[in-house]
Amino acid sequence: MSVCMKTFEINENTLRVVLSEDEFVKEPYLVKKQPLFDGICTVGTNGKEQDCKLIGNGNDLFIQKSSSFEKKDVKRFTFDGGKPVVVTKKTVDGERSFVENANEVKIGEAYEAKVVFEIEPDEAIYGLGQNEDGVYNYRGKTEYLYHNNMKIPMPVFLSSKNYAVFFDCSSMMIFEEKDNKITITCDAVEQIDYYVIVGTCFDDLIAALRVLTGKAVMLPKWAFGYIQSKERYKTQDEILAVADEFEKRQIPVGCIVLDWLSWEDGKWGNMYFDKSRFPDARKMVDELHNKGINFMISVWPSRKEGCENHKEFEEAGKLLCNYSNYDAYDEEARDIYWKQCERELFAAGTDAWWCDSSEPFTPDWNGEEKRPERVRYDLARESTNKYLDARESAAYPLWHAKGIYDHQRAVCDTKRVCNLTRSGYPGIQQYGTILWSGDISATWEVYRHQIAEGLSMCLSGMPYWTLDAGGFFVGNTESWKRWANVKEGIRPWFWYGSFEDGVADKGYCELYTRWLQLATFLPVMRSHGTDTPREPWQFGDKGTVYYDTIVKYIKMRYELMPYTYSLAAQVVINGYTMMRSLMFDFAHDEKVKDMWQEYMYGPAFLVAPVLEAYDFGPNNTPLNKKSLMEVYLPYGTIWYDYETKDVFEGGQTIKAYAPITKMPLYVRSGSIIPKASKVDGEVDTIEIYSGSNGMFVLYLDNGVDYSYEKGETASIPLVWNEEKQALMIGKKVGEYSVPEKFHIVLYKVDKTVLEQDVLYKGEDTLVQV
């Protein structure tokens, strides 16, 4: 078989490689069109398909060894006339509909295609999205890339040699690395289409990936505060009571979330409030807004047969063949979906969407035992490709998010789109999305896995990622029985939390507190889950250790809001990454290549989450362990303990004191951190950690609408000169208003602290500290 290989230089650091059985080159699917001009990434051996050497920055990257194409029919289910016979089942993952009289028809042809790369023995491989098991370095691993609850595939990997390979492939895929060879298998494609990106660091790679797939947009400022959720608030009165309690206790909260079943009983997914439980949604949302709290609501792509929304899609012929989910690939179907969102939910003042089950199929979300990974992949492929074109089956959540973003932007320019979605694909960052890790269980092992999964998502180019702090499923068999309202039965494999008694178990309170500490230093901080309550006061009252620590970290999130929001601006302006593998900043340190246990939050903070219980195990079992953990401080800088201001040289492993009240957190010397002294999150303080030169750009806008796109912003460069012990607060760029005064705090290596207030009029202001 003869394979045609073509290459296109996209820009100075990106090469497109296309392999096919003929001369035709299909237009990119996920990639935005870019001008073609000479670049620095080239192909060796004159473009021959076999043993083709890829070269970038003058260095060998990898060798493309071989490729193959096996022709296959693309089939899809359809109705064979008459009314579909639908069976609806209640599952832990919502109501699911199945059509019993659908027929399979051929809709096209494609190839199962493979390509093999040879890499160096010492390379580390990262990315590939979120894949459940906490894999960080994919050397020696096989990973199946398909959508599922807890799985978000991303067809991109990064090498420790500072190159990335991105596949413009919207079918399911398999990644396998063995014996220094990476084999990529695409389930259904017309050609193999991949991009090689080279750079000097990982920031270059991610920024270039976003050039290819789309620039991220600003989320509303409140989304970077604290989001309170649970499964679920049942009534309007309950939501307002929770808001009142936050206000009474003076605990800041940016958003309260209404999970599933906002609709009338028996009308799954219908976008009308159940008026018996939510008699005046507009009034409810107005009262939340009066307290400075935003409102997010869960919406689904599926509809129960017979409800009003289902009838609309049915009459328009815009349902998939499971007779439940709308066809998000279809523009008219997306129009209808938005009208359903807008008619009552958006009209009530809803600030954000929670697009649950956006895969939209989870065929293995059942059974007592977790199936082998290959079986799960085949099951997902068989199920999903019944209803979606196999050539673009992975792109459903992308089109779903696009529909919401485009329509909300069209009707409202005064409220930024914010979409918490369970699944995604490259390009979804354009649509105001936050991805989260699905319905995870409350165990220490899962908690540890989440760190690697979050890093992998960010290494795949996704800027905003979060999780259910505390785990979604807290209990085990008894918890499931209570939820399902049964006395006997088989607990599903994914419901395996360690704490049957929830917040009444000190073992869970400890895990939850540690999880919330971690969440404080994620791009988005959010608490959510089922089978036990989640509000801070459920873990004790003022003066008790869990309550006080939880509130301390929520307030810390707002204290750091100016820093976090400035990082978010860099995400949009420069393609920055907030949750950072140590490979972003310390690739020169060989020890960090496999280190997932720690990460950077922006340029300043080294985050070292506590990875085990010290005080209590399940069932209030005392452990009485010493609260000490090992933390590696990367080489090449001085580090400050954020709370004590103790100073440590980099390049060493230290024993960190980590009682329940404290997560080890370190600041790199030269860091400049804008902060807020009040819980309103407005900047008034600038902290400097001496020992090195440093810089930071403070960013401000109104945090609400899209006026930032028209330049209604302000950026203030902050530059620390270590030799002169001076801070330059630079001239502001932009017309947005800035503070008239800053409180400057300098922390020195000798533990001296110097403070002063400085007036600022938007011009260069030199501060001799």
Side-chain angles (χ1 to χ4, degrees), residues 70-71 118 130 160 163 222 256 318 351 369 390 415 458 488 562 573 616 645 657 659 683 739 748:
E70 183 176 338
K71 185 164 285 189
E118 183 174 88
Q130 173 188 290
S160 56
Y163 69 84
W222 63 258
I256 293 178
K318 301 301 179 183
D351 301 292
E369 298 293 333
K415 182 181 291 188
C458 295
E488 298 296 334
I573 297 167
F616 292 95
K645 309 308 178 190
Y657 181 49
V683 61
K748 303 187 73 171

Side-chain angles (χ1 to χ4, degrees), residues 662-715:
K662 180 186 178 186
M663 177 182 69
L665 185 67
Y666 299 88
V667 180
R668 178 162 50 172
S669 64
S671 293
I672 302 169
I673 304 174
K675 295 175 65 172
S677 63
K678 300 176 183 178
V679 294
D680 62 7
E682 297 301 319
V683 61
D684 57 14
T685 301
I686 299 172
E687 289 187 350
I688 307 155
Y689 291 78
S690 69
S692 308
N693 293 330
M695 67 170 297
F696 190 82
V697 178
L698 172 63
Y699 173 87
L700 302 103
D701 65 21
N702 68 22
V704 175
D705 59 26
Y706 288 96
S707 58
Y708 76 89
E709 295 179 339
K710 302 172 184 177
E712 294 180 25
T713 67
S715 295

Side-chain angles (χ1 to χ4, degrees), residues 286-510:
D286 285 346
E287 289 188 35
L288 292 176
H289 289 169
N290 289 338
K291 297 178 185 295
I293 302 172
N294 293 272
F295 177 69
M296 177 186 289
I297 191 168
S298 170
V299 294
W300 289 61
S302 54
R303 302 286 183 268
K304 178 72 176 291
E305 183 184 12
C307 73
E308 295 90 334
N309 288 175
H310 187 276
K311 289 178 181 177
E312 286 182 277
F313 282 121
E314 182 182 29
E315 290 170 0
K318 301 301 179 183
L319 290 170
L320 298 178
C321 199
N322 68 343
Y323 207 56
S324 176
N325 290 83
Y326 87 107
D327 185 355
Y329 299 88
D330 185 278
E331 184 175 1
E332 184 181 343
R334 296 195 299 271
D335 292 342
I336 296 170
Y337 191 87
W338 171 253
K339 288 176 183 176
Q340 295 176 356
C341 290
E342 183 182 26
R343 189 177 293 137
E344 188 164 304
L345 307 188
F346 198 60
T350 291
D351 301 292
W353 311 101
W354 181 2
C355 287
D356 211 341
S357 193
S358 53
E359 297 85 11
F361 304 107
T362 54
D364 81 327
W365 207 243
N366 54 59
E368 186 176 8
E369 298 293 333
K370 184 176 180 179
R371 301 169 177 90
E373 288 304 305
R374 179 69 205 209
V375 174
R376 296 178 72 199
Y377 173 79
D378 288 340
L379 187 61
R381 183 171 57 168
E382 177 187 0
S383 175
T384 302
N385 293 347
K386 286 180 179 179
Y387 307 119
L388 303 178
D389 186 329
R391 293 165 292 190
E392 54 179 347
S393 62
Y396 187 96
L398 183 66
W399 289 102
H400 186 38
K402 174 178 168 58
I404 289 176
Y405 180 84
D406 288 348
H407 285 94
Q408 183 174 323
R409 286 296 311 261
V411 302
C412 177
D413 210 36
T414 59
K415 182 181 291 188
R416 294 179 192 171
V417 178
C418 184
N419 175 358
L420 177 69
T421 182
R422 197 167 77 185
S423 292
Y425 216 55
I428 202 168
Q429 68 275 0
Q430 304 168 85
Y431 304 130
T433 52
I434 305 163
L435 294 160
W436 102 96
S437 59
D439 296 343
I440 52 180
S441 288
T443 74
W444 281 93
E445 180 184 33
V446 170
Y447 161 80
R448 290 188 289 269
H449 285 173
Q450 290 294 289
I451 302 168
E453 298 298 351
L455 292 173
S456 293
M457 282 295 285
C458 295
L459 285 162
S460 303
M462 295 296 105
Y464 305 126
W465 179 87
T466 188
L467 44 67
D468 293 355
F472 185 78
F473 300 114
V474 173
N476 203 283
T477 301
E478 294 307 312
S479 169
W480 171 75
K481 288 179 182 178
R482 291 192 297 269
W483 185 92
N485 194 27
V486 297
K487 293 183 178 180
E488 298 296 334
I490 298 174
R491 173 189 58 82
W493 64 266
F494 47 79
W495 194 315
Y496 62 94
S498 300
F499 308 94
E500 292 284 24
D501 295 326
V503 295
D505 189 334
K506 291 181 181 178
Y508 178 64
C509 292
E510 182 176 350

Side-chain angles (χ1 to χ4, degrees), residues 85-131:
V85 177
V86 181
V87 176
T88 300
K89 299 178 182 179
K90 179 184 177 183
T91 75
V92 177
D93 204 31
E95 287 191 2
R96 300 288 176 176
S97 296
F98 306 89
V99 176
E100 294 189 329
N101 62 334
N103 291 318
E104 193 175 56
V105 297
K106 178 179 176 179
I107 61 171
E109 294 182 342
Y111 298 95
E112 180 180 273
K114 294 184 180 182
V115 62
V116 179
F117 304 134
E118 183 174 88
I119 62 174
E120 296 296 324
D122 62 343
E123 282 183 67
I125 299 296
Y126 311 100
L128 298 179
Q130 173 188 290
N131 295 298

